[in-house]
Every structure is written in structure tokens, then in C-alpha cells.
Amino acid sequence: AQKVTQAQTEISVVEKEDVTLDCVYETRDTTYYLFWYKQPPSGELVFLIRRNSFDEQNEISGRYSWNFQKSTSSFNFTITASQVVDSAVYFCALNTGGFKTIFGAGTRLFVKA
Amino acid sequence: SQTIHQWPATLVQPVGSPLSLECTVEGTSNPNLYWYRQAAGRGLQLLFYSVGIGQISSEVPQNLSASRPQDRQFILSSKKLLLSDSGFYLCAWISGADTQYFGPGTRLTVL
């Protein structure tokens, strides 16, 4: 069975703090894709990153970075020097090449000024 | 580039009334299309998906239905709304690289 677990329901930080959002996935497939999406208060899910199972390189995009570790089945997301605009719900997701994408329950991030 | 549209943006309907939400995609052909519902403060629930015209797969049996009359059009319907149908409805399409892209959503309130 495929599953995505985001154990952190809510996280609250003060602006400029670094914050890491955890994501643990389960699948028996060797080929799969992992994603992170951001859902700001407006509601639309914004795609942030896609990573395939054969590429364990960490990725950095501005203040965002992603740590993919197959050994622990984790795909964690770090925001450096958080800003109020980072306040949103963040979803981790898994697709094994089929029609369905499995989403985690989401982590709500509050960044206080 | 691809664009996905949803309308209406918000909707307030009485219990027992019908529903029709529309989703259209531009800039791609033969996409896989999806309807999700998100209850307030909750995660995403997959309702329907479609891999082609007239092909609908239902994930959750309920009083909702979906149709795909054209390649890039996906419609979510109900004959009689329930209070529990309130939520945020998101349409999505998937690219060849398995990345789902979402529309702006429809916020439905059933009173």
C-alpha cells in the first residue's frame, strides 16, 4: 500500500526562523515521484517541486530546500529565514506512475511577524 | 503554457438543490483530469478522475457525479445537495511527468 505521512499538523515559528516540514512515504514500487505543494489562504494548491526516486540529490531554490533520503523514506522540506508570506498549508505527495497521487494530510505553517 | 479554469469561484446553495461545477484546461490535449474535495481544515479527498472523454472513475460513492463531455472539460454535478457537500472543490490535471496542477478551486457552502 502507498501512504504519505506528515506527522506535524501545525507548526508555529517567528519570522526569520528556519523550519523543517517532515514527510515520510511508503511504497513498494522502485519508480515513484514525490512532490510538495503549497496552499496559501486563497486555496489554490501551488506546485513547488517534483523529485523522482532515482534522483536523491538535495535541491535548493532560494529559501526553500528539499532533503530526499530513500534510506529513511523521507522527503523533508526546509524553509530558511521564514517570512510571513510562507504561512500556508503544505502538502507532500507520492505518485508511483499511475493515475492517482497520494497526498499527506498537510502541515499548517504559521509564521508570526 | 497550460492553464486550468474553474467556475464559479464561490457558491452558496440550499440543501436539496442541484449542483454543477465546471473545470476546463487549456494548452494540453488528452489530460487526466481530477476532482478533489477539501473540507474545512482537512486534507484532499479524491472524488473522481478521468483518463479520457466519457471515462469516469469514482473514488467515493456519494450523491455526486462527474462527466467529461469534451477532452478538456470536466464537470462535477449533484441532483440534490447535502449539508455534508460543503467544502472546497479543486480540479486538477496531470502532465506527462506525473505532476498534478490545480485550478483555483470553488468554495461551496450548502445551507
Side-chain angles (χ1 to χ4, degrees), chain B residues 31-69:
Chain B
N32 289 348
L33 295 173
Y34 301 79
W35 278 112
Y36 289 87
R37 179 170 61 197
Q38 188 178 28
R42 306 292 296 275
L44 298 170
Q45 179 187 32
L46 178 62
L47 301 176
F48 301 95
Y49 67 92
S50 170
V51 300
I53 296 174
Q55 300 178 60
I56 307 294
S57 295
S58 173
E59 289 296 299
V60 183
Q62 52 197 333
N63 69 320
L64 298 174
S65 62
S67 62
R68 185 169 176 175

Side-chain angles (χ1 to χ4, degrees), chain A residues 33 35 37 39 41-45 47 50 89 91 95 97-101 103-106 108, chain B residues 32 34 36 38 41-44 46 49 51 59 88 90 94 97-104 107:
Chain A
Y33 304 91
F35 308 87
Y37 289 85
Q39 187 177 37
S42 61
E44 181 174 352
L45 264 78
F47 165 71
R50 169 184 177 268
V89 180
F91 290 96
N95 185 298
F99 299 122
K100 301 180 197 176
T101 298
F103 286 84
R108 185 175 296 275
Chain B
N32 289 348
Y34 301 79
Y36 289 87
Q38 188 178 28
R42 306 292 296 275
L44 298 170
L46 178 62
Y49 67 92
V51 300
E59 289 296 299
F88 190 54
L90 287 157
I94 198 163
D98 300 303
T99 301
Q100 283 199 350
Y101 294 97
F102 287 81
R107 203 165 297 279

Side-chain angles (χ1 to χ4, degrees), chain B residues 3-55:
Chain B
T3 309
I4 182 167
H5 303 279
Q6 285 187 246
W7 62 89
T10 60
L11 192 59
V12 180
Q13 292 284 94
V15 169
S17 64
L19 174 74
S20 181
L21 303 181
E22 189 164 344
C23 169
T24 58
V25 181
E26 295 178 358
T28 186
S29 58
N30 198 31
N32 289 348
L33 295 173
Y34 301 79
W35 278 112
Y36 289 87
R37 179 170 61 197
Q38 188 178 28
R42 306 292 296 275
L44 298 170
Q45 179 187 32
L46 178 62
L47 301 176
F48 301 95
Y49 67 92
S50 170
V51 300
I53 296 174
Q55 300 178 60

Side-chain angles (χ1 to χ4, degrees), chain A residues 29-74:
Chain A
D29 292 276
T30 55
T31 301
Y32 52 89
Y33 304 91
L34 296 164
F35 308 87
W36 276 96
Y37 289 85
K38 175 182 180 180
Q39 187 177 37
S42 61
E44 181 174 352
L45 264 78
V46 178
F47 165 71
L48 296 178
I49 189 172
R50 169 184 177 268
R51 173 67 74 228
N52 74 54
S53 54
F54 300 108
D55 182 3
E56 284 195 75
Q57 269 193 324
N58 291 331
E59 180 153 342
I60 298 174
S61 177
R63 296 183 297 107
Y64 294 173
S65 62
W66 292 270
N67 185 342
F68 176 29
Q69 291 194 339
K70 289 177 75 170
S71 61
T72 56
S73 297
S74 65

